[in-house]
């Protein structure tokens, strides 16, 4: 294929992970300054699973407030989760393959018939994530929803995720143009990013490498950005929802009302 | 962790629970809080809404705020009635109003005090054991005056003379505020109509001290324990309160302080039960179209929505029409959380907005089971010269059961005794 | 012609070095003795200072829109500088050779970011005062970028000739100057910039480490709010 500076990437990714781990540890130290209230005991015993599923995965509260926002957030949520899962599974299989414990799965997914699933999964959820980010940016800049805070870090995050999906598709399209394979028909979005045959020249391999570098390193870099942005809510919101749900178990006025009809129009 | 010794970030963090410290960082910045906030509606600044306050709190426990920013943050923190609307609508479920009250307490402990007017009020509560800065000896006088004026079926007994099965806890407002003593009289009369064996503490009745919790006084827990001890010593097992603020205090704030064996009920819920059991029979027809205002401390904070409504529906002739914002979405009148002390003009605007919402329903009157809300809504009515009337729940019930104890009779009788 | 250019290059370079040394000496002379208290330079301080420089963190804090332009400008400059090193290194190391693609992107980003900064400072924020030195430098940069782009796309110069010339410069073997007029222009502008290079390039690491050493971080050290 084309050359990728793997060693440098792994070193950088490791640094990013370490930074994230340190940052979360630092935050945890900060939280432990607070008073202990014995909530853990409650959570372990009585976390209402139904509330957690409906609030964290289905985001029912958001659904009851606004359907378009719920749609956008679901796209971003599932797109991000699915692509992260894909990355984690691929990396795990790669590492297992290095110590020959993967039972042939790495081979299956990277070269064999399983590659189809990778292509479809990646393209579908990449599309879903980019649609979500595009929707979020449109809501912010085209529809000017009045409740949005125009904080630069918030804007950066949506743009960043959109950039990641687009650069990923560009990379896929470029690779498919230069190194075609018959499994490519499953990459139904990446196909749209293929440069025309006429534009292909020999210098493309360098472009490949650099776009890969930008995409991969930016992807790893999000781990550095995560604790400093509102993306932290992706880790903390489920925790807060679980803790509060445990305390306010099944409150009918908070967990199941039809909120939208009472919303003051602004 | 703290670089700036002037702002004790660690101390402030230590005054919050670890869950609250997590909550502060979990905000998704969606802004839903400011869409619903009745205070933000009157004063649309980022420092007023939950999102702004969470952002400032995050920075204050991390590295402190600059002088200007801190001033703005404190203004926003106290320009809040802790009504809890934001908690209901927050997709992350941050328990906002608890956080604001805890933050106020934490800041005070760290040496950053409340607004001047709040400090004075809290000092008065401690000194006089009531929030009206009047001698406690006058506390039970409403009962004596009412009996002498023939407004009650029998004299109300003091707990120290008669250990009843139920304690009626009138609260400072109903005991001292001349405009609100009718609430206490009517509560007593209704309990008597139902044949309930109750007593009052009279001059021994302390302030519930819940205002200390609302405004972040660190002495709340100790004061609460004193009152819990008093109840225990007096052998009190069931408390019926007529004020929503006292109810939130004794029922919720005292969790872990008052033993679970002590039952605290709000008068509305208690009366609703009595009507269902047939002890009270609203018989006279009251042909009136009314709307109901859910007090924050009764509704959102304690999930008492249906009992007051079933009580109203039990009164013949009453037709209840709901405001658009009712139940868990009831818009706060601004009287809670110390907001009226800190920013009276904002409270006036908030209650005026609420009255306009009530007017939209076409109702003749707005009914509420909380005397503090009644005062607040009255301010709103006066502010926009509305034709709407505001009644306490007791008033409507009394007119249907024992109209001789109606408000105008009480006011006339009490005015006569003054002369 | 080649000789004139070579001599011009050496003169400009000497001027730059001498000027910098002179400035350093004057600072050393003027600094009061107790200005810099003795403090330990720890790894944390050095790493933080590095992050301050790589991300232009202090500017990010005070003006994030300007930061975008400035960061893009500085990053593009670094990439172009690294890429241009291929003209004075023989054989060209793989890492410098691989900078070609980023350099092609940076070559467009540099003038774009300069324009962006110009618009921000002059039109949007309407800065009341910008020194003529600043104007001159930015103008020179812009001219240099444009001439570089023209040289690449419109009037391509013979790279072998240029390489021969530049290698001659660094090995003190004065070579024939390349025939391309655009190259001559581009090179001349470079010499002028070299002579008037701002000192913050070299002072920044020291000031950042100094700021990080102190507890209060000197928050508005480089940029006012």
């Amino acid at each position: 294929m084309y050359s990728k500076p793997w060693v440098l990437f792994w070193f950088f990714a490791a640094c990013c992970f370490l930074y994230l781990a340190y940052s979360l540890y630092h935050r945890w130290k900060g939280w432990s300054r607070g008073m202990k209230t014995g909530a853990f005991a409650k959570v372990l015993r009585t976390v209402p699973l139904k509330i957690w599923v409906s609030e964290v995965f289905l985001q029912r509260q958001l659904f009851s407030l606004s359907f378009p926002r719920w749609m956008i957030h679901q796209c971003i949520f599932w797109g991000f989760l699915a692509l992260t899962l894909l990355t984690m599974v691929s990396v795990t299989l790669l590492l297992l393959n290095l110590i020959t414990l993967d039972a042939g799965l790495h081979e299956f997914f990277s070269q064999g018939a399983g590659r189809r699933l990778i292509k479809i999964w990646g393209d579908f959820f990449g599309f879903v994530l980019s649609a979500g980010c595009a929707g979020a940016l449109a809501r912010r800049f085209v529809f000017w929803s009045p409740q949005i805070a125009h904080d630069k870090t918030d804007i950066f995050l949506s743009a960043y995720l959109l950039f990641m999906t687009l650069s990923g598709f560009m990379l896929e399209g470029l690779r498919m143009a230069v190194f075609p394979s018959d499994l490519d028909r499953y990459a139904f979005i990446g196909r749209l990013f293929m440069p025309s045959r006429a534009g292909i020249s020999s210098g493309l391999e360098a472009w490949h490498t650099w776009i890969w570098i930008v995409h991969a390193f930016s992807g790893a870099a999000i781990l550095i950005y995560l604790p400093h942005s509102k993306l932290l809510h992706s880790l903390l919101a489920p925790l807060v929802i679980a803790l509060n749900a445990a305390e306010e178990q099944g409150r009918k006025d908070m967990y199941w009302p039809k909120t939208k009809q009472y919303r003051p129009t602004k | 962790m703290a670089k700036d010794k002037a702002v004790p970030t660690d101390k402030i963090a230590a005054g919050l629970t670890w869950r609250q410290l997590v909550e502060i960082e979990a905000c998704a910045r969606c802004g839903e809080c400011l869409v619903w906030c009745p205070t933000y509606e009157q004063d649309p600044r980022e420092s007023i809404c939950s999102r702004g306050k969470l952002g400032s709190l995050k920075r204050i426990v991390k590295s402190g705020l600059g002088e200007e920013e801190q001033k703005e943050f404190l203004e926003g923190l106290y320009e809040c009635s802790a009504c809890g609307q934001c908690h209901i609508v927050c997709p992350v479920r941050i328990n906002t109003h608890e956080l604001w009250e805890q933050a106020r307490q934490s800041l005070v402990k760290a040496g950053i005090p409340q607004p001047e007017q709040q400090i004075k009020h809290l000092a008065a509560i401690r000194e006089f054991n009531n929030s009206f800065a009047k001698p406690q000896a006058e506390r039970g006088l409403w009962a004596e005056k009412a009996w002498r004026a023939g407004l009650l079926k029998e004299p109300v007994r003091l707990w120290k003379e008669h250990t009843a099965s139920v304690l009626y806890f009138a609260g400072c407002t109903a005991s001292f505020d001349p405009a609100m003593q009718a609430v206490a009289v009517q509560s007593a009369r209704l309990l008597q109509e139902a044949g309930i064996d109750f007593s009052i503490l009279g001059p021994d009745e302390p302030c519930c001290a819940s205002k200390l919790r609302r405004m972040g006084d660190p002495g709340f827990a100790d004061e609460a324990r004193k009152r819990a001890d008093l109840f225990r010593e007096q052998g009190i097992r069931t408390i019926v309160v007529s004020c929503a603020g006292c109810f939130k205090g004794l029922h919720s704030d005292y969790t872990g302080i008052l033993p679970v064996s002590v039952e605290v009920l709000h008068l509305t819920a208690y009366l609703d039960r009595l009507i269902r059991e047939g002890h009270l029979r609203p018989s006279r027809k009251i042909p009136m179209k009314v709307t109901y205002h859910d007090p924050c401390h009764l509704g959102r904070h304690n999930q008492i929505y249906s009992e007051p409504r079933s009580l109203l529906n039990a009164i013949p002739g009453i037709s209840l029409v709901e405001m658009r914002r009712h139940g868990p979405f009831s818009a706060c009148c601004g009287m809670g959380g110390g907001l009226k002390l800190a920013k009276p003009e904002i409270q006036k605007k908030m209650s005026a907005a609420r009255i306009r919402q009530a007017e939209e329903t076409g109702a003749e009157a707005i009914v509420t089971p909380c005397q503090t809300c009644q005062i607040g809504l009255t301010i709103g009515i006066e502010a926009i010269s509305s034709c709407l009337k505001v009644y306490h729940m007791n008033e409507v019930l009394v007119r249907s059961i024992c109209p001789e104890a109606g408000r105008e009779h009480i006011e006339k009788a009490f005015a006569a005794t003054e002369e | 012609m080649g000789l004139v250019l070579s001599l011009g290059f050496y003169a400009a370079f000497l001027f730059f070095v001498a000027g910098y040394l002179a400035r350093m000496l004057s600072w050393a002379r003027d600094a009061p003795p107790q200005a810099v208290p003795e403090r330990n330079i720890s790894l944390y301080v050095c790493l933080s200072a590095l992050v301050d420089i790589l991300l232009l963190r202090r500017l990010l804090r005070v003006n994030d829109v300007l930061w975008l332009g400035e960061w893009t400008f500085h990053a593009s400059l670094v990439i172009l500088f690294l890429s241009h090193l291929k003209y004075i290194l023989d054989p060209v190391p793989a890492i410098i050779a691989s900078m070609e693609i980023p350099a092609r992107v940076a070559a467009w980003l540099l003038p774009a970011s300069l324009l962006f900064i110009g618009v921000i400072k002059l039109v949007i924020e309407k800065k009341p005062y910008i020194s003529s030195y600043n104007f001159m430098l930015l103008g020179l940069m812009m001219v240099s970028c444009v001439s570089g782009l023209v040289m690449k796309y419109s009037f391509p110069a013979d790279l072998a000739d240029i390489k021969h010339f530049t290698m001659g410069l660094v090995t003190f073997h004065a070579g024939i100057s390349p025939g391309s007029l655009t190259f001559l222009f581009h090179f001349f502008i470079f010499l002028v910039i070299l002579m008037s290079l701002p000192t913050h390039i070299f002072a920044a690491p020291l000031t950042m480490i100094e700021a990080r050493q102190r507890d209060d971080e000197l928050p508005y050290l480089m940029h006012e709010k």
Side-chain angles (χ1 to χ4, degrees):
Chain A
M1 285 264 194
Y2 55 97
S3 67
K4 299 170 192 168
W6 279 111
V7 176
L8 193 63
F9 172 72
W10 283 118
F11 174 70
F12 179 71
C15 290
C16 294
F17 266 109
L18 281 171
Y19 178 82
L20 177 65
Y22 169 72
S23 192
L24 289 174
Y25 166 74
H26 183 78
R27 245 156 247 277
W28 181 76
K29 287 285 298 273
W31 298 335
S32 54
R33 290 178 295 174
M35 299 186 281
K36 312 284 179 280
T37 51
F40 263 148
K42 268 191 175 159
V43 170
L44 290 172
R45 276 202 308 263
T46 55
V47 172
L49 193 65
K50 188 170 148 205
I51 288 176
W52 205 74
V53 166
S54 86
E55 298 292 321
V56 174
F57 290 108
L58 302 176
Q59 288 130 35
R60 192 214 53 80
Q61 173 69 332
L62 197 52
F63 182 77
S64 73
L65 288 167
S66 157
F67 180 75
R69 275 162 65 193
W70 176 82
M71 199 67 225
I72 291 172
H73 190 256
Q74 283 275 290
C75 286
I76 296 175
F77 177 84
W78 288 109
F80 188 83
L81 208 59
L83 290 175
T84 308
L85 194 68
L86 182 65
T87 310
M88 274 165 44
V89 165
S90 312
V91 165
T92 312
L93 285 178
L94 184 75
L95 292 173
L96 285 176
N97 181 244
L98 288 175
I99 52 174
T100 63
L101 274 178
D102 63 313
L105 280 172
H106 174 73
E107 174 77 35
F108 175 70
F109 281 114
S110 57
Q111 264 112 48
R115 192 162 169 73
R116 255 167 250 165
L117 180 62
I118 302 281
K119 293 278 111 201
I120 295 173
W121 182 279
D123 272 39
F124 176 71
F125 285 108
F127 172 69
V128 160
L129 178 56
S130 46
C133 291
L137 288 167
R139 183 175 163 246
R140 190 179 277 273
F141 293 114
V142 176
F143 300 104
W144 285 97
S145 178
Q147 72 195 75
I148 294 185
H150 286 283
D151 191 30
K152 306 298 197 313
T153 51
D154 297 344
I155 297 170
F156 176 73
L157 196 59
S158 310
Y160 183 102
L161 291 171
L162 187 61
F163 165 77
M164 285 302 298
T165 48
L166 292 178
S167 62
F169 281 131
M170 267 172 65
L171 198 57
E172 190 177 42
L174 203 56
R175 186 195 48 75
M176 280 173 13
V178 181
F179 303 106
S181 128
D182 36 284
L183 289 175
D184 286 344
R185 63 181 184 281
Y186 292 101
F188 55 97
I189 307 283
R191 278 221 304 269
L192 303 169
F193 286 76
M194 271 171 64
S196 64
R197 285 255 149 214
I200 291 173
S201 66
S202 61
L204 270 179
E205 191 171 313
W207 277 105
H208 255 133
T209 303
W210 278 103
I211 294 180
W212 183 89
I213 288 174
V214 166
H215 180 79
F217 281 67
S218 310
I222 205 173
L223 297 171
I224 298 180
Y225 186 61
L226 193 151
H228 301 292
S229 68
K230 75 172 186 178
L231 194 55
L232 197 55
H233 87 267
S234 62
L235 296 174
L236 296 183
L239 179 62
V240 170
I241 288 171
L243 292 173
N244 281 348
E247 207 174 66
E248 299 172 328
Q249 287 192 44
R251 260 182 77 160
K252 289 287 176 289
D253 64 332
M254 210 168 98
Y255 286 99
W256 317 111
K258 297 196 223 24
T259 319
K260 201 181 355 219
Q261 63 196 83
Y262 307 112
R263 198 164 185 267
T265 47
K266 290 230 175 178
Chain B
M1 209 156 291
K3 285 198 174 135
D4 189 346
K5 300 291 180 284
V7 178
T9 60
D10 283 348
K11 216 162 168 218
I12 295 172
L16 301 171
T17 67
W18 71 265
R19 269 176 58 178
Q20 284 167 337
L21 289 172
V22 175
E23 278 181 337
I24 287 170
E25 301 201 54
C27 173
R29 304 180 50 76
C30 72
E32 197 61 26
C33 45
L34 62 90
V35 171
W36 295 83
C37 177
T39 316
Y40 184 86
E41 197 186 321
Q42 306 305 331
D43 188 3
R45 288 182 288 154
E46 184 72 11
S47 54
I48 302 300
C49 72
S50 282
R51 177 176 64 197
K53 288 188 281 204
L54 284 166
S56 299
L57 260 177
K58 187 161 99 164
R59 276 174 291 146
I60 218 177
V61 298
K62 188 171 142 194
S63 55
L65 290 172
E67 202 183 309
E68 269 307 308
E69 286 176 300
Q70 185 167 296
K71 222 170 82 176
E72 214 181 319
F73 162 64
L74 288 171
E75 195 192 352
L77 183 64
Y78 289 101
E79 191 176 318
C80 165
S81 58
C83 72
Q85 178 70 94
C86 38
H87 176 40
I88 301 283
V89 299
C90 174
V92 179
R93 307 310 203 183
I94 298 173
N95 199 330
T96 40
H97 56 277
E98 278 279 336
L99 178 57
W100 309 145
E101 289 175 1
Q102 193 68 31
R104 289 170 183 177
Q105 187 181 293
S106 180
L107 286 166
V108 169
K109 271 182 166 163
I112 301 170
Q114 308 99 320
E116 192 66 42
Q117 309 87 320
Q118 288 188 359
I119 298 175
K120 288 200 185 112
H121 189 77
L122 293 169
I125 292 177
R126 284 170 185 281
E127 191 190 328
F128 291 91
N129 204 3
N130 62 69
S131 51
F132 280 78
K134 291 200 175 140
Q136 279 285 87
E138 294 175 22
R139 197 159 178 127
L141 289 183
W142 61 268
E144 286 176 37
K145 281 203 276 194
W147 169 243
R148 278 204 299 271
L151 297 160
L152 300 170
K153 284 174 87 169
E154 52 194 52
V156 176
R157 285 161 297 179
L158 293 175
W159 190 273
K160 59 188 179 200
E161 290 157 11
H162 170 77
T163 306
S165 52
V166 165
L167 170 76
Y168 169 55
F169 191 95
C172 302
T173 308
S175 301
F176 289 106
D177 188 344
M180 290 298 141
Q181 282 175 333
V183 172
V185 173
Q186 289 173 336
S187 306
R189 177 61 188 260
L190 286 166
L191 289 172
Q192 286 175 349
E193 290 286 337
I196 301 299
D197 169 34
F198 75 96
S199 295
I200 61 170
L201 284 167
D204 296 331
E205 185 182 274
C207 174
C208 67
S210 66
K211 284 188 178 182
L212 272 70
R213 173 74 193 142
R214 304 281 84 78
M215 294 182 246
D217 190 313
F220 168 73
D222 287 335
E223 294 293 324
R225 266 186 279 272
K226 281 192 219 160
R227 281 130 179 94
D229 288 341
L230 170 72
F231 295 145
R232 196 182 31 126
E233 282 159 24
Q234 299 290 323
I236 294 166
R237 307 299 292 268
T238 309
I239 307 176
V240 171
V241 291
S242 50
C243 170
C246 295
F247 179 68
K248 173 154 166 91
L250 296 174
H251 180 78
S252 310
D253 297 333
Y254 278 47
T255 308
I257 297 173
L258 214 53
V260 284
S261 52
V262 176
E263 197 188 2
V264 181
L265 298 161
H266 190 263
L267 183 70
T268 327
Y270 192 58
L271 292 173
D272 179 58
R273 191 209 289 182
L274 293 174
I275 290 176
R276 284 170 196 280
E277 290 169 1
H279 300 290
L280 266 179
R281 277 180 205 84
S283 48
R284 282 188 93 214
K285 206 165 168 198
I286 314 287
M288 200 164 45
K289 190 174 173 196
V290 303
T291 187
Y292 175 73
H293 169 79
D294 292 270
C296 306
H297 289 161
L298 205 61
R300 264 191 294 275
H301 293 222
N302 287 292
Q303 293 99 64
I304 295 180
Y305 304 109
S306 54
E307 292 90 328
R309 286 170 169 85
S310 91
L311 206 161
L312 278 173
N313 284 322
I315 300 171
I318 292 274
S319 94
L320 174 63
V321 55
E322 298 279 10
M323 287 182 269
R324 195 159 61 88
R325 281 185 73 166
H326 65 273
F329 308 106
S330 170
C332 180
C333 67
M335 291 295 283
L339 176 57
K340 176 130 174 65
L341 286 165
K343 289 274 172 99
E345 68 279 8
I346 297 287
Q347 186 276 320
K348 195 194 268 195
K349 288 186 193 161
M350 281 166 72
S351 56
R354 188 56 166 163
I355 294 297
R356 276 190 218 103
Q357 289 170 21
E359 283 176 345
E360 276 169 26
T361 63
E364 301 162 51
I366 182 169
V367 178
T368 184
C370 169
Q371 48 264 46
T372 318
C373 288
Q374 188 180 354
I375 296 172
L377 293 169
T378 310
I379 291 173
I381 287 176
E382 283 162 11
I384 60 170
S385 310
S386 171
C387 305
L388 211 62
K389 298 210 172 10
V390 57
Y391 296 125
H392 194 276
M393 184 75 85
N394 287 2
E395 173 67 18
V396 189
L397 206 49
V398 154
R399 282 195 193 177
S400 182
I401 297 175
C402 44
E404 62 273 18
R407 192 187 177 85
E408 63 279 10
H409 300 291
I410 299 175
E411 280 174 351
K412 212 158 65 173
F414 276 31
T417 52
E418 294 302 312
E419 283 148 24
Chain C
M1 188 62 194
L3 198 62
V4 170
L5 270 180
S6 307
L7 285 172
F9 172 75
Y10 296 131
F13 196 78
L14 272 170
F15 183 89
F16 161 69
V17 172
Y20 195 75
L21 278 171
R23 265 175 284 197
M24 266 176 40
L25 282 168
S26 84
W27 294 334
R29 195 182 54 228
D30 291 340
Q34 63 273 22
V36 182
E38 281 302 311
R39 268 183 236 256
N40 287 325
I41 299 181
S42 66
L43 181 67
Y44 172 75
V45 160
C46 286
L47 282 176
S48 315
L50 189 65
V51 171
D52 279 352
I53 293 172
L54 288 177
L55 290 182
L56 301 181
R57 212 182 109 259
R58 287 155 191 276
L59 179 59
L60 179 58
R61 264 208 217 151
V62 296
N63 190 338
D64 32 26
V65 180
L66 185 62
W67 173 85
L68 192 62
E70 293 276 1
W71 190 85
T72 313
F73 165 72
H74 282 82
S76 313
L77 205 55
V78 167
I79 291 172
L80 281 169
F81 172 77
L82 289 173
S83 173
H84 276 56
L85 286 178
K86 69 181 181 232
Y87 292 111
I88 57 169
L89 294 169
D90 199 27
V92 181
I95 196 158
I96 300 291
S98 68
M99 297 301 291
E100 200 208 314
I101 300 291
R104 277 167 61 171
V105 175
W108 291 97
L109 281 181
L110 187 55
S113 60
L114 279 171
L115 204 64
F116 181 83
I117 290 169
V119 165
I120 296 282
K121 286 197 168 173
L122 295 169
V123 177
I124 294 174
E125 287 179 13
K126 294 195 186 58
K127 283 251 178 285
Y129 171 73
I130 297 177
S131 69
S132 39
Y133 168 70
N134 221 316
F135 265 125
M136 182 201 75
L137 208 54
L138 295 175
L140 282 174
M141 289 270 175
M142 192 58 137
V143 167
S144 173
C145 293
V146 172
S147 61
L149 285 169
V150 163
M151 198 164 45
K152 174 121 185 126
Y153 294 107
S154 305
F155 300 104
D158 188 341
L159 288 181
D161 273 353
I162 292 175
K163 180 77 187 269
H164 185 73
F165 172 70
T166 50
M167 288 309 297
L169 279 177
V170 296
T171 54
F172 299 102
H173 286 105
I176 311 163
S177 89
S180 161
L181 272 175
T182 21
F183 170 75
L184 286 175
F185 182 69
H186 189 74
F187 189 69
F188 172 70
I189 298 291
F190 159 65
L191 290 184
V192 178
I193 292 176
L194 181 63
M195 284 196 292
S196 39
L197 213 53
T199 52
H200 74 259
I201 304 172
F202 305 99
L206 299 169
T207 30
M208 290 302 119
I209 289 179
E210 168 67 19
R212 280 292 187 170
Q213 268 186 304
R214 299 182 187 208
D215 284 339
D216 59 359
E217 283 199 347
L218 298 172
Y220 300 122
L221 173 70
M222 276 188 84
H223 309 279
E224 74 287 351
K225 237 187 164 46

